[in-house]
Amino acid sequence: MSDRDDIADQRRKKLKLITFSKEDQSLVESEKPQETFRDVGGLEEVKKKIRMNFILPLKQPEIFAAYGKEAGGSLLLYGPPGCGKTFLARAVAGEIDANFLHIELQAILSMYAGQSEHNLHDIFEKARESKPCVIFIDELDAMGGSRHQMRQHHDRMLVNQLLLELDGLQAHNEQVFVIGATNTPWYLDSALRRPGRFNHLIFVPPPEEAERETILELKLAGKPVEALNLARIAAETKLFSGADLEQVVKDAVESAMERTFESGNIEPITNEDLKKAAKSRKATTLEWFATARNYATFSDVNKDYQTVLDYAKKHGVK
Ligand SMILES: Nc1ncnc2c1ncn2[C@@H]1O[C@H](COP(=O)(O)OP(=O)(O)OP(=O)(O)O)[C@@H](O)[C@H]1O
Ligand SMILES: [Mg+2]
C-alpha cells in the first residue's frame, strides 16, 4: 500500500458520523463552540495569522474596506495528526461568536453517492443563511486528491462543486469563513490551491515545551493527582502531539486505577505514572515529518513547505 492509501485508510477508520443530524436529514450539525483561542495552548504564530485574515476584518471592517477587502475567505490548516487543527477551527468560530458547521467530506461521499454535490451546495447555502459562520472541512485529504487520480466519478463531481462554492465565496460569501484541514496538503488537487480558494496555507506544528505543560495540565484537570512536576514531563515529551499527550495521561490514569482496585482507596496519579507512560510511547508526529520532509526537499517547487523544513531543523527532527 502506498503512503497515501495508508493515510487515507487510517482516516476512514477514524471517521465518525457525528455530523449527521437525524431531525432535518442534513449532513451537518450547526453549533456555537464555546472554546476560544484562550483554550488553545500556544500556537501564537498561527493565531496571529488567523486574527489578521479572519478576525480583525470582522471586528474592524472599515479598515479593511479602505483597502478593498471584506471579511470572509478561506484557509488551510495542515500538519501532523493530533496537533490541534480541529480544535483550533472550533476556537476560531468561538472567537468570532460564529456558527460552526463541521463537514466530513468522506461521510457525504459515502452516504449519498450521486447526491453529494447537492448536499455540499446545501451546506454552503445554510452557512450563508447563518452568518457569521465558519465552515470546517475536515479530513480534506480523504477527498481532495488530484482529480485525475480519482476512480469515482462522483468524487470528481464533489471536488468540482467544492471549487464552485469556494469561488462563490469571493463573490457573495461575506462573513462566511471556510477552514480546511489536512495532514497531506501536497496531495491536494492544485485547483483547490489557486488564489481565492485555499491559498493561505498554515502549518500547525507540534506543541512547544511550555505548551505541552499546559496541555498536560488541561488533560489532568479535575483528576486525583499527587504534587506533579509537569515541566519535567513536558521536557521529556519532545515532538509529542496534543493527542499523544492525551494518551500519556490516559495511560497514567490507568496505572493509578489499577492501584486503586488493589488498595481499595482512590490512589492519585503520580509523576512516576506519567514518566512511565511517556517513556513507553513515541511521538506520532515523527512519521509525518519523515514524509513531509521528503516532499519539502524533493517536490516543493513553490517552497510551500519551507516552514516545515525550518521547524524540523530547529527542533532537530531526525
Ligand atoms: N495547542 C493545543 N492546546 C490544547 N489542546 C490541544 C492542543 N493541540 C492539541 N490539543 C488536544 O489534542 C487533541 C487532538 O487535537 P485535534 O483533534 O485538534 O488534532 P488534529 O490536528 O485535528 O488531528 P488530526 O490531523 O488527526 O485530525 C484534542 O483533544 C485537543 O484537545
Ligand atoms: Mg482533526
Side-chain angles (χ1 to χ4, degrees), residues 142-168:
M143 158 213 117
S146 297
R147 275 174 291 182
H148 62 264
Q149 280 181 2
M150 280 192 189
R151 295 161 292 246
Q152 304 263 357
H153 174 67
H154 65 258
D155 279 21
R156 199 157 54 235
M157 303 279 282
L158 189 62
V159 178
N160 289 337
Q161 186 64 38
L162 180 57
L163 292 172
L164 273 178
E165 300 296 344
L166 290 173
D167 287 345

Side-chain angles (χ1 to χ4, degrees), residues 39-52:
D39 302 299
V40 182
L43 295 175
E44 292 310 326
E45 270 305 297
V46 176
K47 288 178 188 165
K48 191 168 145 197
K49 275 195 191 158
I50 294 178
R51 272 201 197 96
M52 201 53 205

Side-chain angles (χ1 to χ4, degrees), residues 3-124:
D3 259 9
R4 185 196 150 86
D5 286 344
D6 208 31
I7 290 168
D9 204 50
Q10 285 171 14
R11 281 265 163 250
R12 248 166 249 136
K13 287 195 196 117
K14 268 180 57 185
L15 269 185
K16 289 173 291 186
L17 292 180
I18 44 158
T19 46
F20 188 70
S21 121
K22 286 199 188 73
E23 296 81 17
D24 60 358
Q25 292 291 296
S26 84
L27 279 152
V28 282
E29 234 166 50
S30 171
E31 55 167 328
K32 282 214 156 175
Q34 299 303 309
E35 300 93 323
T36 65
F37 279 179
R38 262 191 308 237
D39 302 299
V40 182
L43 295 175
E44 292 310 326
E45 270 305 297
V46 176
K47 288 178 188 165
K48 191 168 145 197
K49 275 195 191 158
I50 294 178
R51 272 201 197 96
M52 201 53 205
N53 285 300
F54 275 20
I55 296 170
L56 290 177
L58 206 59
K59 294 203 167 143
Q60 295 183 290
E62 60 299 339
I63 294 180
F64 287 79
Y67 292 98
K69 290 183 88 168
E70 278 180 348
S74 59
L75 57 84
L76 183 62
L77 304 175
Y78 78 97
C83 291
K85 296 182 293 299
T86 302
F87 194 59
L88 194 64
R90 289 177 58 85
V92 171
E95 193 74 13
I96 56 180
D97 198 21
N99 288 306
F100 184 74
L101 299 181
H102 185 153
I103 308 180
E104 291 194 357
L105 286 167
Q106 194 63 39
I108 301 185
L109 274 172
S110 55
M111 293 181 75
Y112 289 91
Q115 270 269 33
S116 20
E117 317 85 71
H118 301 285
N119 288 319
L120 192 65
H121 180 69
D122 287 348
I123 290 165
F124 274 80

